[in-house]
Amino acid sequence: MDKRLIGIIVAVGTALIGCVTPATKAPETRLSLEQELFSRYMSKAQNFEKQGELISALENYKLALTINPEDKVAEQSRLRLKKEILGSAEAHHRMGLKLTSQARYKEARNQFLMALALRPDYPEPLKEIGAKKLPNLKNHIIHKVKPGDTLSKLAQLYYEDFKKFPLIAKYNGLEDATQLRAGQEIRIPREGGLKDGVAEEKDSPESVHTMISDDQDENRETDDEPPIDQVAIYRDLGVNLFMEGKYQAALIEFEKVLKTDPDDKMAIEFSYRSHYQIALSLFKKKDYLSAKNQFTSCLQYKANCQKCHAYIQKSEDFYKEVHYRKGIQYFEAEKLDDAINEWELVSAVDPDYRRTKYLIQKAETILKKIEEIKKGQSTPANK
């Protein structure tokens, strides 16, 4: 190894003697901490954007701008992405309203949740999700479902208008308007405009429906808006995002749940799953240190995850070996700054790994001697 080091000194020193003038400065090859952070945030933002995780992408563009507020690319990307997110949120809201009009409430709810994922302060979809029942209805009729009944048939029976079936579905909080079972009690809201004579039938012993007044119905709606379970919204949204493969965005929603209820089992389970999927993706891309960090995060939610422990060790081993070998390659190519950078990455994880400290010291010694040679050549000879 010493002969190789001496050869590098001579080769690099000779090249510098022939080409360096007093006015020439050695170029800086190492990035500053600020440049490294800026580059890292921009890279993450672009990767998230490619994966369709727009919120995470926007956050990283914002972080990049905290490092360099004057960067035009980052600022233009931030503005473009913000506009795209707002437009997408509005599109999801419109689709939710369309599905609601078709009594496809479960699908509509998913669209409203997606709108809130993109724009958490969006009041309209939040209100739609919270309003499971129509408020301020003074009374209703209870209908006991018979075989063959459908909501459209009930709307025709009570309102003489089959198109009013969404009113019945929404009042009863039905997510799927097509599924009714015999014996089920369905409330028919009076506000829909009951046909003449329906109310009087309540006195008949053979009637299949009963008039319910304000005093009789303990569960009737009040003048207040129905309470909105914000935690449930975050939880549902996180699950939807997870199922779409948007794991980073899902984690944001589960974190909101766990801030309110640290013991929420579903949020804990899906947080673990999200970190694990992110970690696997990073491992496959050979981004071993990031993968290790994600596998480590898995342990916050499932401490006994043996495969996580195995992947953590494997990720660290691969990371150290990859950067160690890169350092050797740079060293042999006489790119000493790059070699030092690679070995410092290894040393930060494992200071005792394969004599990296020794190699860094040797490379720095060579660089110091090269600087001495350069200074000697740039100093005029004494007369």
Side-chain angles (χ1 to χ4, degrees):
M1 181 63 75
D2 289 339
K3 291 182 179 180
R4 180 183 296 171
L5 296 177
I6 293 172
I8 291 176
I9 295 174
V10 173
V12 176
T14 303
L16 290 171
I17 290 172
C19 63
V20 176
T21 63
T24 303
K25 293 183 179 180
E28 293 185 4
T29 58
R30 298 191 193 185
L31 295 175
S32 66
L33 177 60
E34 290 78 7
Q35 290 173 318
E36 288 182 359
L37 284 173
F38 177 81
S39 178
R40 188 182 308 166
Y41 288 137
M42 289 295 289
S43 178
K44 283 186 176 181
Q46 291 160 2
N47 287 333
F48 279 132
E49 191 171 353
K50 289 178 183 177
Q51 296 167 14
E53 298 195 18
L54 303 186
I55 297 297
S56 298
L58 180 61
E59 288 303 314
N60 277 277
Y61 281 128
K62 290 180 179 178
L63 288 171
L65 286 167
T66 62
I67 305 298
N68 186 359
E70 305 300 324
D71 188 86
K72 293 183 179 179
V73 174
E75 177 62 13
Q76 290 172 356
S77 297
R78 182 190 70 82
L79 293 174
R80 172 181 52 76
L81 207 55
K82 183 178 180 180
K83 183 178 180 181
E84 184 178 344
I85 288 171
L86 293 177
S88 183
E90 185 178 349
H92 282 295
H93 178 234
R94 289 198 303 267
M95 179 57 70
L97 293 175
K98 181 178 179 180
L99 291 168
T100 298
S101 68
Q102 299 170 357
R104 295 161 62 183
Y105 298 111
K106 187 174 183 179
E107 297 172 70
R109 180 180 175 82
N110 289 340
Q111 290 296 321
F112 293 137
L113 286 170
M114 291 304 299
L116 288 170
L118 296 168
R119 182 183 164 190
D121 62 344
Y122 204 164
E124 286 81 3
L126 184 61
K127 185 177 180 180
E128 290 291 336
I129 289 174
K132 294 182 179 179
K133 303 173 184 177
L134 293 179
N136 305 322
L137 294 179
K138 294 182 179 180
N139 46 43
H140 57 259
I141 288 175
I142 291 180
H143 174 91
K144 195 169 185 178
V145 176
K146 298 177 295 183
D149 278 350
T150 64
L151 290 186
S152 59
K153 286 183 180 180
L154 296 183
Q156 183 65 36
L157 173 63
Y158 290 103
Y159 303 133
E160 293 186 316
D161 185 355
F162 72 92
K163 294 181 181 179
K164 290 186 177 181
F165 74 90
L167 179 63
I168 302 174
K170 191 170 185 179
Y171 187 78
N172 287 273
L174 299 176
E175 291 188 343
D176 189 344
T178 65
Q179 294 182 357
L180 293 179
R181 64 181 185 277
Q184 179 181 4
E185 290 188 346
I186 295 294
R187 297 190 298 172
I188 310 298
R190 187 177 181 83
E191 189 174 276
L194 296 174
K195 71 179 183 179
D196 294 340
V198 169
E200 286 71 17
E201 294 179 16
K202 67 183 177 66
D203 297 324
S204 171
E206 299 178 355
S207 177
V208 295
H209 51 260
T210 307
M211 196 66 182
I212 303 296
S213 68
D214 289 343
D215 296 333
Q216 292 171 312
D217 185 6
E218 297 179 356
N219 297 319
R220 69 180 179 83
E221 299 293 340
T222 66
D223 291 336
D224 298 326
E225 290 287 334
I228 296 175
D229 187 349
Q230 188 68 61
V231 172
I233 292 175
Y234 292 145
R235 188 190 303 111
D236 289 351
L237 178 52
V239 173
N240 286 352
L241 290 168
F242 178 88
M243 298 307 292
E244 292 183 3
K246 298 179 179 179
Y247 306 118
Q248 194 67 43
L251 283 169
I252 294 173
E253 302 307 318
F254 293 131
E255 184 179 348
K256 296 175 185 177
V257 176
L258 293 172
K259 281 183 178 179
T260 303
D261 182 3
D263 298 322
D264 190 287
K265 292 183 179 180
M266 183 175 290
I268 291 172
E269 176 64 24
F270 276 93
S271 293
Y272 157 73
R273 294 186 188 183
S274 297
H275 278 295
Y276 191 80
Q277 291 300 323
I278 294 171
L280 283 180
S281 177
L282 291 167
F283 188 85
K284 291 176 182 178
K285 295 176 182 177
K286 298 183 179 181
D287 187 353
Y288 297 120
L289 189 59
S290 297
K292 175 191 172 184
N293 293 336
Q294 288 295 327
F295 283 123
T296 301
S297 295
C298 290
L299 299 178
Q300 298 176 23
Y301 308 98
K302 190 174 290 189
N304 61 348
C305 176
Q306 296 304 313
K307 56 185 177 182
C308 297
H309 286 289
Y311 265 117
I312 288 170
Q313 188 60 55
K314 191 182 296 185
S315 298
E316 182 175 321
D317 291 343
F318 284 2
Y319 175 82
K320 291 186 294 187
E321 186 63 17
V322 165
H323 288 287
Y324 175 82
R325 291 184 179 182
K326 281 186 178 180
I328 295 296
Q329 291 171 358
Y330 282 132
F331 185 83
E332 292 176 344
E334 301 177 7
K335 297 179 179 179
L336 302 182
D337 276 309
D338 292 329
I340 292 172
N341 285 336
E342 294 297 326
W343 290 328
E344 285 180 341
L345 291 174
V346 178
S347 183
V349 176
D350 183 355
D352 299 322
Y353 188 75
R354 298 185 66 171
R355 301 171 68 210
T356 50
K357 280 188 175 180
Y358 169 79
L359 293 172
I360 291 171
Q361 290 174 356
K362 283 296 183 182
E364 288 177 341
T365 299
I366 295 172
L367 285 174
K368 185 177 180 180
K369 291 182 178 180
I370 291 173
E371 284 297 319
E372 291 173 357
I373 294 173
K374 288 163 55 179
K375 288 180 180 178
Q377 293 299 315
S378 62
T379 302
N382 294 327
K383 294 182 179 179

